Each structure stands twice: as structure tokens, then as C-alpha cells.
Amino acid sequence: MQGLDPLQLISIIELFIATGIALILSAFIFKKYKEKPISGTLIFTLNFILVGIALACVAIDRILLLYLLDPTLGLIFHNIAILVSLGVILLLDIFSFEMTYPDKTKKLTVLFAILLVAAGITLLLNQPTLGAQQEILYADELLILILPLLMPPMIIPIFIFFYYAVMVRKESIPKSNRALVMGIATIVVSIGYIFEVMGITGIAVILVRLTFVAYTFLMYIAFTQPKWFQKIIGTENL
């Protein structure tokens, strides 16, 4: 067992905080779904369950690699996190397609699923190395190969949130502002996700994993809409 690395310890705490927020949010959204069954609500329920699972797996792989010195089990949890995170991205894509091109959702889902599966298989078939602080690193050549596969599915939800914000601006400024918050949250987590896949060391572990806390927190307030948030976006009855 290695000594406690304060940077890694803080990043693990961040991962567990983000996990907790994601799972609490999934329960909140599911309650809303039972009250009024809507496909979009169900998608986000499943989405945040997967977010929680993926983040928990990253935290567990950190503990296994850093403190229990079990690289085999650590890499297993790392691979689970990768596969689950791809499911998170695909669910956001499905929601985006339902919002914009509902009649083409199935075809677009299949297309983007192929891209994500290709990225996942490419990562799983290539053995990573353990760098400083036992962080999992992939070869630069591999990252160059998978980033074009990941970027389109990750960009679509961001575009849709901002597109929706613009489209409803005249109708409802609060709804527009809420969509902007969700778009910003998705940008933040996308940046963090890319760096997480690329591999991070040093102070970056805190900064990158802080993006996961920021994402879950911003999405939490966007969905639960506490009164202080309602006042910021322009209404108390959204």
C-alpha cells in the first residue's frame, strides 16, 4: 500500500461526491417520471444512474491501483467505467435526437452507437500503461484514433442544448437560461472526459475530476430548480 497522495485523495473524494449527486439526481428525476411518464425524463434517469456507476468505477480503480496495488482488478473497473461512460454519451444523443429529429432517432442512434462501440473496442483491445500516480495512460497514436470517434457523439448534445436555448428565448427566458446551464454543464464534463481518457497526472487530477462535480451539480440544480436558482434564471414557477 502506497502512502496517501493528497492530490489523488482529493480527486477520489471528488469522484465520490459527483457519484452521490448523480445518484440522488437520478432518484429525483425518476420520481418525476412516475408522476408524469415522459421518454426524456426516463432517459435522464438512466443517464444519471450510469453517470454514478461510471464515476464510482473510476474512484474504485484509483483506490485499487494506488492503495491496494491490484492492477488487474483496477484495470477491470477502468474498463467498466469506459463502457458505462459510452452508454452515458449515447443516452444524451438519444435525448438530443428525440428533441430535434424524432422520426430519425433510430437511424441516428445506430450510427452514433457504431462510433461509440468502435471507440470502446479500440480502447479495450489496447493495453494501457500505468504512469505517475498510477494513472492509466494510452498511447498518443491511439488517442488520435479514438478522438474522432468520440467527438461527434459528444458534441451533438451540447449543440442541442444551446440550439433549444436560442429557439425558446422569445417564448421563455427561464427555459432558455436553464438549457444554457445544461449546455455549459455538458461542455464542462466533455472537457473533463477527454482529459480523463487521455490520462492525467499532478494537479490536473484535481482539476479534471472537479469537472465531474461541476457537471453533476449544475445538472442537479437545473433539474431540481431550488428557489435561488429559479430567481437567477428569471422565475419561481418554471
Side-chain angles (χ1 to χ4, degrees):
M1 181 174 178
Q2 296 185 359
L4 293 179
D5 183 326
L7 296 179
Q8 286 288 341
L9 185 59
I10 292 172
S11 77
I12 291 171
I13 292 172
E14 289 174 335
L15 288 167
F16 278 124
I17 290 173
T19 297
I21 296 174
L23 295 179
I24 291 171
L25 180 55
S26 68
F28 175 86
I29 299 174
F30 182 64
K31 182 179 178 181
K32 293 292 184 180
Y33 173 75
K34 289 194 296 183
E35 295 172 357
K36 187 177 181 181
I38 301 175
S39 62
T41 311
L42 180 60
I43 289 171
F44 272 110
T45 299
L46 297 174
N47 178 270
F48 284 108
I49 289 174
L50 294 186
V51 168
I53 293 173
L55 293 173
C57 285
V58 176
I60 293 170
D61 96 47
R62 295 287 78 228
I63 293 171
L64 288 167
L65 291 172
L66 277 167
Y67 307 123
L68 302 182
L69 301 181
D70 190 335
T72 301
L73 195 54
L75 288 174
I76 288 175
F77 274 93
H78 171 75
N79 289 337
I80 293 173
I82 287 176
L83 294 176
V84 174
S85 68
L86 296 177
V88 170
I89 296 171
L90 185 60
L91 283 172
L92 282 175
D93 288 334
I94 293 172
F95 172 78
S96 300
F97 302 147
E98 289 284 352
M99 287 282 291
T100 51
Y101 303 106
D103 56 327
K104 298 181 180 179
T105 294
K106 290 184 179 179
K107 291 182 179 179
L108 291 170
T109 298
V110 170
L111 174 62
F112 279 67
I114 290 173
L115 293 176
L116 293 169
V117 168
I121 291 175
T122 302
L123 285 172
L124 294 178
L125 291 180
N126 286 270
Q127 184 71 18
T129 59
L130 294 178
Q133 302 170 311
Q134 297 295 297
E135 286 290 345
I136 296 172
L137 306 173
Y138 290 97
D140 292 340
E141 297 80 6
L142 180 64
L143 296 173
I144 293 173
L145 179 62
I146 66 166
L147 285 178
L149 298 173
L150 288 174
M151 292 307 292
M154 293 177 65
I155 290 173
I156 287 296
I158 296 172
F159 173 78
I160 294 304
F161 282 130
F162 285 109
Y163 172 78
Y164 180 80
V166 172
M167 293 302 293
V168 303
R169 194 72 183 172
K170 291 183 178 180
E171 171 192 333
S172 173
I173 291 179
K175 287 183 179 179
S176 175
N177 289 340
R178 182 171 176 247
L180 286 174
V181 170
M182 297 172 77
I184 292 170
T186 310
I187 289 177
V188 169
V189 77
S190 297
I191 293 171
Y193 182 75
I194 291 297
F195 278 102
E196 184 72 38
V197 172
M198 290 173 63
I200 47 176
T201 57
I203 190 67
V205 299
I206 294 179
L207 299 177
V208 167
R209 285 157 191 165
L210 185 60
T211 65
F212 304 141
V213 177
Y215 170 70
T216 52
F217 175 74
L218 289 173
M219 295 300 271
Y220 179 84
I221 62 174
F223 277 99
T224 61
Q225 299 175 46
K227 288 186 177 180
W228 62 266
F229 178 68
Q230 292 177 11
K231 292 178 180 178
I232 291 174
I233 63 175
T235 184
E236 295 190 0
N237 296 295
L238 184 61

